Amino acid sequence: MAEVPEVEIIVRDLKQAVVGRRFVDAQVLVPTAVRFASPEDFIQNLRGRRVLSADRRAKFMLLTLDDGQTLALHFMLWGELALRPVGSERPPATLVILTLEGNEELQLTDTLGYARVALGPTQLLASQLKLAELGPEALDDTFTPELLAQLLRRRRSPLKTVLLNQRVLAGLGNRDADESLWAAGIDPRRLASSLSPAEILKLHRGISDVLEEGLRLRGTQRDLFGVQGKALHRRNIFGKTGAPCPRCTTPVSHLRIGGRNTHWCAHCQPADGPAPDAPAQTSLL
C-alpha cells in the first residue's frame, strides 16, 4: 500500500533520474486515469515539456515543467511508477505511459485502476487538487511536538480519525497511523484532545520513527527502478488482527474507526491511558 514513505522514495528517485529530461510522448491506456482534462489534451500539453523539479505534497507527486505547468501523480492505494526502457514489457495493469527522451518511459500501474495523473497550470492545478487546504507535513522539520499539540488541542474526535485527516496533518496513512499509535502506546479511540503532554511527546516520536524507518528501508513497494523496498515486514500491528502483539503477546484488536481498519493492542494501548512506559519496538527486521 502506497503511503508517504513509498511516495517520498519515488519523488527522490524522480529527482535523480527524471528531472532535467523532456517528455517526448504519452499514452493513456485507461482514460479515467486522467483528471481535469481529456486524454488528448493531456498528451498534447505534455509533449516536449522539460521537468524542472520533483516535489511531494502529502501523497501527491508534483513535477514542475518548463512551461509553467505541473504534472501531478497520485498512487491512491496500490499504484506504482516504474522507469523502464521503451519497448519493455508493460504490465496488464498499466494505466499511463510517459515517454522520456533517452529511450525510457515512466509506466504508471495500478491493479485496482485507481491511480491518477493530472496536468495543468501550476496555480490552477494546486487549486483543483486543494493543496492549500492540506495540513503541515509530518516529514518536515517544522513538525514538532509543540505543533502536534496545537493540531490536536481542540479536536474532539477519535485520535485515529484526526491523524488521518489530511487537512490536520498531511502525509500520515492508515498503516503508519496504526504503527505510530502502537509505538506510542496510545489507544486510537482516545479523543485527540485528551492526550497529556507526555503522550504528545510519545506520539510525535512514534510518528517520526515510523516514517523515518519506512524511508530508511525504502518503503513496502518497488521503487522507480523496480527494486523492492524492505519495509514490508516491519509492521508490528497493522493488518495483524488476532496475532500476538510483538511487545506483550496480547492478541491484536481490530475495529473500523471512521470507516478505516484500525489495529491496536488493548494491553499496550489502554483505553483509559496513560500509555505504559514499555520501550516501543518499531521494527521486526
Side-chain angles (χ1 to χ4, degrees):
M1 182 180 295
E3 295 198 5
V4 161
E6 288 74 29
V7 176
E8 177 67 20
I9 289 298
I10 293 295
V11 168
R12 295 180 183 185
D13 290 347
L14 288 168
K15 289 179 179 179
Q16 171 188 338
V18 173
V19 169
R21 300 170 68 180
R22 290 188 186 276
F23 291 110
V24 297
D25 202 358
Q27 298 179 56
V28 177
L29 305 182
V30 179
T32 55
V34 179
R35 296 181 62 182
F36 311 130
S38 69
E40 293 77 16
D41 287 343
F42 175 84
I43 294 169
Q44 180 63 34
N45 294 335
L46 188 65
R47 282 181 180 144
R49 303 276 60 88
R50 185 182 299 277
V51 181
L52 299 183
S53 64
D55 300 285
R56 179 187 59 80
R57 186 70 171 104
K59 296 181 185 180
F60 289 102
M61 293 158 280
L62 303 170
L63 300 181
T64 302
L65 308 181
D66 61 357
D67 64 344
Q69 293 188 103
T70 291
L71 171 64
L73 304 95
H74 198 297
F75 285 154
M76 302 302 287
L77 293 177
W78 297 107
E80 291 188 319
L81 190 67
L83 180 66
R84 296 189 174 101
V86 170
S88 60
E89 181 180 357
R90 295 168 177 170
T94 302
L95 307 179
V96 177
I97 297 166
L98 308 174
T99 306
L100 291 156
E101 61 184 359
N103 205 39
E104 288 186 308
E105 62 187 28
L106 292 170
Q107 299 176 357
L108 178 66
T109 62
D110 186 353
T111 55
L112 296 179
Y114 293 155
R116 295 291 183 264
V117 296
L119 178 67
T122 295
Q123 293 302 319
L124 177 60
L125 190 69
S127 175
Q128 291 172 326
L129 298 177
K130 300 182 179 180
L131 299 183
E133 298 180 14
L134 296 172
E137 291 279 347
L139 276 175
D140 282 359
D141 292 339
T142 55
F143 178 59
T144 62
E146 293 77 17
L147 176 57
L148 180 59
Q150 178 183 340
L151 296 174
L152 301 182
R153 186 172 296 130
R154 295 182 177 86
R155 302 281 175 173
R156 296 191 58 80
S157 298
L159 184 56
K160 172 68 178 288
T161 301
V162 173
L163 290 178
L164 292 183
N165 185 341
Q166 299 298 296
R167 295 187 179 189
V168 176
L169 180 65
L172 199 61
N174 198 37
R175 177 196 69 215
D176 290 338
D178 279 3
E179 294 292 332
S180 299
L181 287 164
W182 179 82
I186 300 173
D187 191 304
R189 300 168 295 177
R190 292 265 304 274
L191 291 183
S193 59
S194 72
L195 269 60
S196 68
E199 289 173 318
I200 292 287
L201 286 172
K202 288 183 178 181
L203 179 57
H204 179 271
R205 187 182 309 117
I207 292 171
S208 299
D209 287 350
V210 165
L211 293 180
E212 289 298 334
E213 183 180 46
L215 289 175
R216 187 175 69 254
L217 298 176
R218 293 189 64 79
T220 61
Q221 300 186 167
R222 289 184 292 270
D223 64 17
L224 191 69
F225 311 109
V227 179
Q228 177 66 51
K230 298 179 180 180
L232 181 63
H233 302 295
R234 73 171 176 83
R235 295 177 295 180
N236 296 290
I237 199 111
F238 182 76
K240 297 192 174 183
T241 304
C245 167
R247 193 157 53 201
C248 73
T249 73
T250 299
V252 171
S253 298
H254 170 266
L255 183 70
R256 289 182 71 84
I257 299 178
R260 307 298 295 275
N261 287 313
T262 301
H263 309 83
W264 78 98
C265 172
H267 178 265
C268 293
Q269 300 166 262
D272 53 354
D277 291 327
Q281 175 185 345
T282 58
S283 177
L284 295 179
L285 294 177

